[in-house]
Amino acid sequence: MLSPRFLLLRSAASLTTRSLCAGGVSKQGRAPDMADVRNRLREIVGASTNWSDHKHAMAERVLLSSMLAKSQNDLPAKTMKDSYLEVHLPLGSEPQLREKYLTFHNTVRFGRILEDLDSLAVLISYSHTYNPALKRSPLSIVTALVDKIDMRQHIIYPDCDIKFTGHVTWVGKTSIEAKMHMSQYRDGAYSPVLDATFVMVARDPENKRAAFVNPLKPDGPEEEKIFQEGEANKSRRVELSTASLLKVAPTDEERKIVHSLFLNTLDSKTVSFRSRVLPPNSAWMEDGKLKGLEICHPQERNIFNRIFGGFLMRKAYELGWANACSYGGCRPTLVAVDDILFQKPVDIGSLLLLSSQVCYTQGKYIQVRVHSEVFDPLTRQHNTTNVFHFTFASDRDVPNIIPQTYGESMLYLDGKRHFNQTVEH
């Protein structure tokens, strides 16, 4: 059963087909699918599937700058119904589609779902800012943060249709929060699979500076409640950023945890600060790593000629899953995706280095952090582009991860914070 918050927008379901079909991308007689979503995005921006034509189209977008609003007050307010979308992934009714989404264990590749959620979040944001008077949008809307993805069901069936619904839930001056639900048709009804919250940012046609978006006007007490939750989410994000271990020292309680971990690794025979012994059923954090490399080809570009954020999420998830699988000795299930921060865009042709680290464990749970950076082989410089946080569950208790250095201890505490947020949620 879908969340009541999305049920109130069911009356807007008819807008789904109309908004996606505005550019003539949806085939008559069926619900819009993810191919329609990506085709519609290309039409909104003026992008092309042809590489050379695409570069020319992006150069022409500079001329759209004059269409940007000078202030948010110049833009009409929108309601949540204006951005409501319903999109289908017909894995059951269109078997030829399954192979792209299939794992060798005959389950659905969650990395592909991340790609679809990212595309849908962008289109939801464009639906909110839609101006029928303009043929193309002057806005460049990109993903800034995946705030949270909570799994409500751990099994996604490869032969059952999937439905995505979503709409804008909060708006700042230049940022948009979009919430999405994913459900799957089984035994005659749709059952919830996950809830996702993305934060998008609007920029100018060249993707260089922030641009204003339409304000959001809640319609009724239910939408007002949703909007206030968006305000609370923003405040929480600011608070978490302020308390980051990269900025401030750990709390007293966290310092005690680190010291306790240190004491538990002292060699009782030598009683020396230098002599460390691994406790039973434990593993050094140094041994909980797995790395990968991606060469960023044009095929993985988004509509703005950068590497598609969904592709980055898929690669990070698959590396994180492989690391959790290796560490726990079994196939883990995803519990939550938390706080994926997009710090810098990734250019086509980049060498993308991915490094996953098991940073916290508790019982059967494994917290994995994936750090991605672009490496320039000519200058030898490394620049962080993304940080990903995944919570996995094993079918058995896993070894306790133990930090040795101060830096590893900070990773441990950061992982514990993210895990606690997942559990409390």
Side-chain angles (χ1 to χ4, degrees):
M1 184 175 179
L2 290 177
S3 165
R5 294 173 187 169
F6 283 81
L7 291 177
L8 75 114
L9 296 170
R10 275 192 173 278
S11 60
S14 60
L15 294 174
T16 306
T17 304
R18 279 210 303 275
S19 62
L20 280 175
C21 292
V25 295
S26 185
K27 298 176 184 176
Q28 193 168 357
R30 66 161 175 78
D33 60 20
M34 294 311 302
D36 296 328
V37 168
R38 294 184 174 105
N39 286 336
R40 183 64 184 134
L41 285 173
R42 280 190 285 268
E43 290 180 357
I44 289 171
V45 174
S48 172
T49 55
N50 182 283
W51 175 232
S52 58
D53 291 344
H54 184 77
K55 289 190 289 184
H56 179 69
M58 289 299 100
E60 287 186 340
R61 278 186 59 79
V62 178
L63 302 176
L64 300 175
S65 294
S66 61
M67 300 178 183
L68 292 172
K70 299 297 187 293
S71 75
Q72 192 175 42
N73 295 331
D74 296 336
L75 297 168
K78 299 290 188 74
T79 67
M80 295 183 186
K81 294 183 181 68
D82 291 326
S83 60
Y84 179 87
L85 290 179
E86 180 178 304
V87 176
H88 289 245
L89 183 62
L91 297 181
S93 52
E94 295 187 16
Q96 68 273 18
L97 183 65
R98 286 181 205 156
E99 188 166 339
K100 176 182 176 183
Y101 287 82
L102 205 62
T103 72
F104 67 99
H105 293 291
N106 201 36
T107 58
V108 171
R109 294 174 63 183
F110 189 75
R112 292 293 188 194
I113 299 299
L114 287 174
E115 291 182 329
D116 292 344
L117 287 171
D118 192 55
S119 294
L120 183 59
V122 176
L123 185 56
I124 286 172
S125 300
Y126 273 119
S127 298
H128 174 79
T129 61
Y130 178 66
N131 182 350
L134 300 179
K135 183 179 179 181
R136 293 177 181 172
S137 174
L139 297 174
S140 300
I141 298 179
V142 295
T143 307
L145 173 72
V146 178
D147 192 359
K148 194 76 172 176
I149 299 177
D150 287 315
M151 302 301 299
R152 302 177 66 181
Q153 178 176 297
H154 297 301
I155 298 177
I156 305 176
Y157 299 96
D159 55 353
C160 297
D161 285 2
I162 286 172
K163 178 169 65 177
F164 298 95
T165 57
H167 62 87
V168 169
T169 52
W170 175 87
V171 168
K173 289 187 179 298
T174 62
S175 57
I176 295 172
E177 180 188 88
K179 286 201 172 185
M180 294 162 286
H181 274 359
M182 174 180 149
S183 55
Q184 189 162 40
Y185 191 79
R186 187 170 173 81
D187 298 329
Y190 277 98
S191 300
V193 176
L194 63 81
D195 305 317
T197 304
F198 280 50
V199 178
M200 321 300 290
V201 291
R203 302 178 69 79
D204 67 5
E206 296 181 86
N207 198 11
K208 289 184 177 179
R209 60 182 178 86
F212 294 108
V213 297
N214 301 68
L216 180 64
K217 184 179 180 181
D219 183 13
E222 183 64 27
E223 289 193 10
E224 182 63 40
K225 180 181 177 183
I226 296 172
F227 186 83
Q228 292 303 321
E229 288 178 357
E231 289 278 6
N233 287 339
K234 179 191 175 185
S235 299
R236 173 180 53 81
R237 288 191 289 267
V238 171
E239 183 180 337
L240 290 174
S241 175
T242 304
S244 169
L245 290 166
L246 293 172
K247 298 178 181 178
V248 298
T251 64
D252 288 342
E253 181 182 352
E254 288 174 333
R255 284 195 286 266
K256 290 177 181 177
I257 290 173
V258 170
H259 192 63
S260 176
L261 287 168
F262 171 72
L263 292 178
N264 288 338
T265 62
L266 289 181
D267 188 346
S268 59
K269 297 178 181 178
T270 61
V271 194
S272 167
F273 285 112
R274 288 188 173 185
S275 183
R276 308 283 293 276
V277 176
L278 188 66
N281 192 33
S282 300
W284 294 121
M285 189 174 283
E286 176 66 27
D287 298 325
K289 292 181 179 181
L290 196 61
K291 296 187 177 184
L293 166 69
E294 292 292 331
I295 301 175
C296 299
H297 297 291
Q299 181 185 10
E300 310 302 341
R301 71 184 185 275
N302 62 15
I303 52 178
F304 303 115
N305 247 17
R306 300 291 178 79
I307 295 302
F308 175 41
F311 170 78
L312 299 174
M313 285 193 285
R314 173 164 65 87
K315 288 299 181 179
Y317 167 78
E318 290 175 351
L319 182 66
W321 183 91
N323 196 8
C325 180
S326 173
Y327 184 84
C330 67
R331 291 180 56 229
T333 56
L334 180 68
V335 176
V337 179
D338 178 37
D339 196 21
I340 295 178
L341 182 63
F342 289 80
Q343 296 182 12
K344 290 183 180 179
V346 178
D347 291 322
I348 295 167
S350 298
L351 293 181
L352 185 71
L353 305 179
L354 295 166
S355 178
S356 69
Q357 172 71 70
V358 175
C359 54
Y360 181 75
T361 55
Q362 183 173 312
K364 64 178 183 178
Y365 294 102
I366 307 169
Q367 188 71 34
V368 179
R369 180 183 190 268
V370 180
H371 176 267
S372 72
E373 60 184 3
V374 169
F375 172 63
D376 187 331
L378 302 180
T379 64
R380 314 298 293 178
Q381 287 188 330
H382 294 253
N383 288 303
T384 297
T385 59
N386 305 84
V387 180
F388 308 83
H389 300 274
F390 303 102
T391 306
F392 295 99
S394 174
D395 61 0
R396 69 198 77 164
D397 285 352
V398 300
N400 298 313
I401 200 77
I402 305 295
Q404 281 185 289
T405 67
Y406 186 81
E408 288 181 347
S409 296
M410 295 304 100
L411 282 175
Y412 181 92
L413 294 178
D414 187 60
K416 187 176 188 300
R417 287 182 179 184
H418 282 93
F419 176 76
N420 288 343
Q421 290 172 26
T422 297
V423 173
E424 290 168 4
H425 190 273

